[in-house]
Amino acid sequence: MAGEFTLSPEDVADIVSIVDASGYGKVEVATTRFRLVLSRKNEGWTQEWNWHQAPAADAPAQVAVPAAATAAAAAVGHAGLTPVPAPLPGTFYRAPQPGAPPYVNEGDRVDEGTILGIIETMKLMSTVSASGPGTVAQILVANGTAIDAQTVLMLIKPDLA
Amino acid sequence: MIRRLFIANRGEIALRIIRTARRLGITTVLGCSEADAESLPARFADEVVRVGPAASSQSYLSIERVIAAARGAQVCAIHPGYGFLSEKAEFAQAVAAAGILFVGPDVSSLRAMGDKLKARSVAVEAGLPVVPGGAGATREEVRARARETGYPLLLKAVAGGGGRGMKRVDAPEQLEAQVDLAMAEALAAFGDARIYVERYIAQGRHVEVQLLGDGTTTLHLGTRDCSIQRRFQKLVEEAPAPAIPAVKREAIHAAAVSLGRKLRYRGAGTVEFLVDARTFDFYFLEMNARIQVEHPVTEAITGVDLIEQQLLVADGQRLGISQDQIHIDGHAIEVRINAEDWRADFRPSPGRITRALWPAGTGIRVDTHTDTGALVPPYYDSLLGKLIVSGSDRSAAVQRLQQALQCLEIEGVKSTVDLHRVIAADPRFVRADVTTRFFEGLAHG
């Protein structure tokens, strides 16, 4: 969208100072492209922009949120197996760095706290660990895949208590 | 004259660059990843080119893909923003090789400031003070270093890192015992007994100077204080740095300018100093050879559009202003609103923003790419936007900040909004008594 800003930040400040002197508590500007709501709050004013409800006609096609891995994983039956869900959305890695051997492979023994993989979220790394002793039964998500929170990453066959 | 500008970045800074470019009549081409195709910068840019998939390694950080996209778009210049490729000398070189102008300093400046040890030696050559220190391989050498640095001092393993084996020595009589211990530990841990001796600054502030250069002239636009940090990430920035005696402030300005002159610096850059909060002695830390996240506080107190000056200089023109035209007027404070749960150790919180209410009004500037309904992808940093307030003096700015934060609401993801309410109300912040250890003393919870 070769979009004009339509209203610059200075324009918004001007509108606020005009309506601030009036008795109005709310101003709403809506076009086919955006909606702006200015409201009084706590001695001041808030601005709320919404460009997303108004369809941008020539904007690029909507991009799928990383959902690919979720549906497939959720459909798997987990009979007798413990699912390992992703604690955060992000990118799932099976190894500490590119080229390094994976933390675990199918058939590996794990204990409580064994690192199964890492998830990179907003440039921070979080580890995913096993919750108890068992064997890696199935790895459902490939290295480097974008995942949602709660995506089942792998299935663990727990040791019998 | 730059007519078509490629923006090799995303988020609020991409939008910020588009704003100035549009005002100057420059056509913008945004190079974005697939994950950012519905972002506000993608809606506002005149043209959009996909540089690659969501992962930055294959999009924003890929020199090859960014250059290919920029070539394809037939642009005259590339603005790298901050982060990503902005300070990579190989990128600047590849841009030049493609016959495109790089909106940033010369490759030589990027090289000189890109390596910490090299930057330190260039700064020393330019006459800047650095934190006194040096390495010693024997007990005698360490003793000699300690005489040079003075007390209190820190002993660190040369081969170490991350604070391991660090020892603080407050007085000369404690040195012998601590040196023996430190050398033994360094040898055991790293197989290398060498010790680095460094002056310990108990109460330090992070103060930086904004520079603009055109290769001939170097100007400064005053100081910023960015002491409030956690894990070396800035949270709050203000300009000018408060409560610094005029003589010391002038000396800090002059030091920064002499580094800029030494480099024959072109474009916008920031020289960072560690300032002793009690003596106001200052030491060069590093130089950031790019636009910085916190640049708006300087714009607020000088009225200079830093992006515009960057574009002018990149175009081979002289700076549009001179030192005597730069006046510091009032005070400005910026807070970074991040998608993080600060009560859970700043755990990242990506997701869909169901509601974004930002403050509006006089003395308030909001630089953000997040509106109601925006998606915050998990692949990039957590910055949702910046709230910048200004006032006639610091107390007016602080008051405005407190009020503006009451008009800021982000729903759908966790954010640092309420952390900033806590900071803005903290008596140490209100009286400008802030050091880099501010966060340790914050009332959590």
Side-chain angles (χ1 to χ4, degrees):
Chain A
M1 154 80 51
E4 290 303 317
F5 279 95
T6 318
L7 289 173
S8 71
E10 294 76 23
D11 294 336
V12 174
D14 285 350
I15 296 171
V16 166
S17 65
I18 292 165
V19 290
D20 193 39
S22 75
Y24 292 106
K26 191 172 174 183
V27 175
E28 192 167 333
V29 182
T31 71
T32 53
R33 296 179 48 230
F34 71 90
R35 197 169 69 99
L36 166 66
V37 180
L38 297 168
S39 315
R40 269 188 210 275
K41 191 183 178 202
N42 299 329
E43 329 266 307
W45 286 82
T46 63
Q47 53 178 319
E48 180 181 18
W49 289 88
N50 192 328
W51 295 86
H52 287 90
Q53 280 177 5
D58 51 352
Q62 289 261 324
V63 171
V65 190
T70 321
V76 175
H78 302 144
L81 301 176
T82 307
V84 179
L88 286 166
T91 307
F92 175 65
Y93 295 103
R94 289 186 53 201
Q97 60 248 340
Y103 287 106
V104 291
N105 287 303
E106 288 178 2
D108 283 0
R109 292 267 324 136
V110 296
D111 276 307
E112 183 182 344
T114 300
I115 296 178
L116 305 173
I118 46 177
I119 295 174
E120 181 184 356
T121 310
M122 295 181 150
K123 303 205 283 190
L124 275 179
M125 300 290 181
S126 327
T127 53
V128 181
S129 322
S131 57
T135 309
V136 178
Q138 200 183 351
I139 294 173
L140 300 167
V141 176
N143 187 54
T145 307
I147 43 126
D148 285 333
Q150 299 309 315
T151 299
V152 177
L153 302 170
M154 51 185 81
L155 300 173
I156 305 283
K157 184 174 194 295
D159 288 353
L160 294 173
Chain B
M1 183 62 198
I2 296 172
R3 298 238 172 259
R4 286 173 67 78
L5 176 69
F6 190 89
I7 299 167
N9 215 300
R10 64 177 304 282
E12 67 87 19
I13 194 65
L15 207 49
R16 166 73 191 84
I17 297 163
I18 292 171
R19 277 214 167 95
T20 290
R22 170 135 322 140
R23 186 168 60 72
L24 300 175
I26 298 170
T27 301
T28 52
V29 182
L30 180 77
C32 77
S33 76
E34 282 167 21
D36 283 329
E38 63 160 316
S39 67
L40 281 194
R43 288 177 179 234
F44 282 122
D46 295 304
E47 296 169 30
V48 177
V49 185
R50 306 278 183 93
V51 291
S56 4
S57 58
Q58 295 165 65
S59 51
Y60 298 110
L61 285 171
S62 166
I63 293 178
E64 203 181 315
R65 290 188 186 207
V66 170
I67 299 278
R71 269 184 193 269
Q74 299 187 303
V75 295
C76 338
I78 296 183
H79 198 307
Y82 51 65
F84 294 128
L85 296 171
S86 60
E87 291 179 283
K88 291 253 188 308
E90 311 93 275
F91 179 61
Q93 221 162 12
V95 172
I100 301 172
L101 297 170
F102 178 67
V103 184
D106 291 341
V107 173
S108 62
S109 295
L110 290 172
R111 291 234 164 84
M113 294 297 112
D115 173 272
K116 284 225 168 189
L117 279 178
K118 185 158 187 213
R120 183 178 159 110
S121 69
V122 173
V124 169
E125 284 170 37
L128 274 68
V130 293
V131 177
T138 64
R139 209 172 296 162
E140 290 66 40
E141 281 177 24
V142 171
R143 244 185 260 136
R145 289 289 188 195
R147 277 195 294 277
E148 293 161 19
T149 57
Y151 294 85
L153 56 81
L154 282 180
L155 302 176
K156 305 176 186 176
V158 167
R164 269 181 82 187
M166 222 186 269
K167 306 243 173 273
R168 182 176 150 183
V169 185
D170 290 324
E173 57 273 18
Q174 299 167 1
L175 185 66
E176 291 300 317
Q178 293 294 323
V179 169
D180 285 349
L181 207 57
M183 292 185 103
E185 283 184 14
L187 187 63
F190 310 108
D192 181 348
R194 281 178 306 150
I195 294 295
Y196 194 89
V197 184
E198 187 180 276
R199 168 81 62 77
Y200 176 68
I201 312 232
Q203 299 288 325
R205 286 170 57 181
H206 179 112
V207 175
E208 57 189 33
V209 177
Q210 176 68 54
L211 291 185
L212 277 177
D214 58 18
T216 308
T217 310
T218 306
L219 312 177
H220 75 79
L221 288 88
T223 51
R224 293 188 286 257
D225 190 308
C226 314
S227 299
I228 300 183
Q229 308 185 356
R230 57 101 209 173
R231 286 192 221 126
F232 307 108
Q233 286 269 26
K234 295 167 186 170
L235 293 169
V236 180
E237 299 105 339
E238 56 183 290
I244 294 181
V247 176
K248 289 287 187 180
R249 188 187 302 277
E250 289 307 316
I252 293 171
H253 292 160
V257 169
S258 54
L259 181 58
R261 285 202 181 119
K262 168 95 186 164
L263 295 167
R264 302 182 66 78
Y265 195 78
R266 295 179 74 250
T270 299
V271 186
E272 301 193 335
F273 296 95
L274 175 64
V275 175
D276 190 311
R278 286 173 302 203
T279 64
F280 301 102
D281 289 336
F282 57 92
Y283 310 98
F284 168 78
L285 289 176
E286 61 177 353
M287 179 170 188
N288 293 312
R290 55 170 164 81
I291 194 75
Q292 282 192 283
V293 176
E294 61 270 27
H295 77 276
V297 288
T298 298
E299 295 185 326
I301 60 165
T302 59
V304 175
D305 181 334
L306 289 166
I307 304 286
E308 178 180 359
Q309 297 300 320
Q310 280 190 302
L311 291 168
L312 269 180
V313 173
D315 196 31
Q317 301 181 46
R318 300 292 305 272
L319 286 168
I321 39 171
S322 60
Q323 189 70 58
D324 57 13
Q325 288 175 309
I326 296 167
H327 302 290
I328 308 283
D329 187 16
H331 198 93
I333 305 172
E334 172 184 287
V335 296
R336 297 192 189 190
I337 307 301
N338 294 335
E340 290 170 359
D341 184 356
W342 72 280
R343 289 178 200 274
D345 200 26
F346 292 90
R347 181 186 163 105
S349 179
R352 181 74 67 176
I353 297 204
T354 53
R355 193 151 196 228
L357 290 184
W358 292 91
T362 311
I364 293 171
R365 167 175 167 183
V366 176
D367 279 21
T368 183
H369 58 295
T370 52
D371 64 339
T372 291
L375 180 68
V376 184
Y379 314 107
Y380 314 110
D381 74 33
S382 59
L383 186 65
L384 295 176
K386 309 176 305 201
L387 165 64
I388 303 106
V389 297
S390 49
S392 54
D393 57 19
R394 188 173 188 278
S395 66
V398 169
Q399 204 182 352
R400 186 158 278 156
L401 175 66
Q402 292 166 339
Q403 197 180 70
L405 283 167
Q406 297 306 320
C407 298
L408 175 44
E409 267 177 52
I410 305 287
E411 290 169 17
V413 301
K414 300 267 190 201
S415 83
T416 52
V417 171
D418 59 340
L419 165 65
H420 286 298
R421 292 194 188 119
V422 173
I423 294 174
D426 190 293
R428 295 170 300 160
F429 173 71
V430 171
R431 62 174 188 263
D433 177 16
V434 163
T435 72
T436 51
R437 296 169 70 186
F438 177 86
F439 209 79
E440 296 168 24
L442 197 70
H444 281 246

